[in-house]
Amino acid sequence: MDIAVLAQRLCHIAIWRLLLIIGMVFAVLVVSQCFALLYGKTFSLYPPMVVRNATLLISSQSNKSFVANLVVGNDTYASDSDSAKETGYENETKETDKHNDPASDDNTNSHKEFKFEKDDPNGSTNLTLSEVQNQAGILPVVSQGISTKGKGNFDADSRTSDSFFIDKISVSSSVGNVKQTMGLQPKDKKMKPLQAVSVTLNNNSTMTSISNSILKRWEKQLTSISQINSILLNSHVSSHSVRPRWSSVRDRELLSAKLGIENAPVIRNTPGLYASLFRNVSMFKRSYDLMEHTLKVYIYREGEKPIFHQPQMRGIYASEGWFMKQIEGNKKFVVRDPRKAHLFYLPFSSQLLRTELSGKNIHGRKDLEKHLKNYVDLIAGKYRFWNRTGGADHFLVACHDWASKLTRRHMRNCIRSLCNANVAKGFKIGKDTTLPVTYIRSVEDPLKDLGGRPPSQRYILAFFAGGMHGYVRPILLQYWENREPDMKIFGPLPRDIEGKKIYREYMKSSKYCICARGYEVHTPRVVEAIFYECVPVIISDNYVPPFFEVLNWEAFSVFIQEKDIPNLRNILLSIPKEKYLAMQLRVKMVQKHFLWHKKPVQYDLFHMVLHSVWYNRVFQINPR
């Protein structure tokens, strides 16, 4: 009897111990998950999985589905390219093209064949896809993936942005294997308005987003192209530039140049220039001539490589590198005596600032800002020129997405030539200037494959291909992928040689090339469209296009608000043939201003970037 009681007690003790162990394990797991959420990582008893395809559904009566690239995390700040590979630019190898080709953006190896039918009068495309998951024969828009490991598939750029395209995402269950689904809406000429957005991952997981955040963004932050025009005009009338602490001979020269530009004589014949491209071709010609005869630039020698004085000549951020290379080798504008300078160049690479410091485990935006602040403190302590104007006569040329934020405090008075020219996020029209995003594939031959077909051989109405970066492109595909034979709207194309050739052929054979924003407002497609003589259709609210100070962009491009994507085709079809032909001809005319040459030539991209900085300084200068 005593033995039975003893055994029962021992059994109870074992059970309590087991429950205690289970409770402790559970508590450890809960605490681990809490810490994981704080640092963007997830601990799981199961092996980490990467979702290769996600389906983004736009709730409407037709329930069309399409694939989107999503980031699970708090924020994202990636570039228009595959920024996880941006360090591949450093050695300028062939891998640069692979990782940073806007023709493909993101891609998998599932696209084995993609044939372009060149001479189809109906603008149709012969697509042959083998070994593709989608058995319907439709070109899938395949995302690079969603990693349950937080930033596993993304570089540190994806940690500190406020530009994430889906707000308040919630995951209702664990991510399982996701099957690709492709649905089509009926070809209804009356497009439905944008509705709520939800993301479905198989039957086991859903992500939802309230599209009201996007709609409110369109309502509150939208600055139309006409409003940007007005802001530019007002900026010239009422300058708020920092008044210099003491006057100088260079200030008086700039004031004289300003007077000469404002009173420029009307020029009827302007060799090499076309009046229809400019706001005022006579003022531009006078300003450009004065720049060539007057402007002197001092380049600070301070700053260690690779962040300073080491241009990167390939990839999606190449513009800042080409300008650095060509200004540092220029003997016409550059002076060694800073007392003779009208402008002071800060020779740093925003791309290398990002990648080099990341390699040293410095990821935070504040740390990168501090690095630039230390540089400003260095030159301000060594020279008197920064302190004279508070940096108003200094300028920087930066193309990385982060450059706008990194420079808006300690370099706020500088003239900033930025690719990320978002008027809703601190870009100052009339002071700052837009740097074109130029994707350079060949340093030896930057003009390779220049040009396109004549208008009579452009059978495709509109073309777009690229990764699902940001919130605009998924909407673009939701409404226009596989809807009309003359609308070639795709996700990423293959990154191989054939895929890039197909991308170029589409641009060379399309009337209009869609330049839809990615995570940020800028995209290399604007310059690519001009390069291939295709009329750019810019879908990027609040974007200030390059050289806006002098160019009349509405003469050779089309601006469509993001909310008008459902009416995209109707808007393009409503443009009369005569107007299209005039725009396309002007695209060919303006092309010379968007080309890099190994040795700079008159009116080329190098001179246009420098002129924009000069022009804004002239019209912002305040006399003592």
Side-chain angles (χ1 to χ4, degrees), residues 69 79-81 105-106 467-474 517-519:
N69 183 322
S79 73
D80 196 56
S81 68
D105 282 326
D106 294 307
M468 294 298 96
H469 300 158
Y471 61 90
V472 169
R473 297 181 186 181
R517 62 168 290 166
Y519 291 116

Side-chain angles (χ1 to χ4, degrees), residues 429-483:
I429 298 174
K431 179 182 75 70
D432 299 330
T433 183
T434 305
L435 179 66
V437 187
T438 55
Y439 182 79
I440 303 297
R441 294 176 175 83
S442 172
V443 177
E444 295 301 317
D445 185 11
L447 304 183
K448 184 179 180 180
D449 296 317
L450 179 67
R453 296 187 176 195
S456 60
Q457 297 180 26
R458 291 180 177 265
Y459 304 119
I460 300 170
L461 178 63
F463 164 68
F464 172 85
M468 294 298 96
H469 300 158
Y471 61 90
V472 169
R473 297 181 186 181
I475 296 173
L476 177 67
L477 263 70
Q478 191 268 334
Y479 276 93
W480 292 112
E481 184 187 29
N482 298 302
R483 287 190 60 88

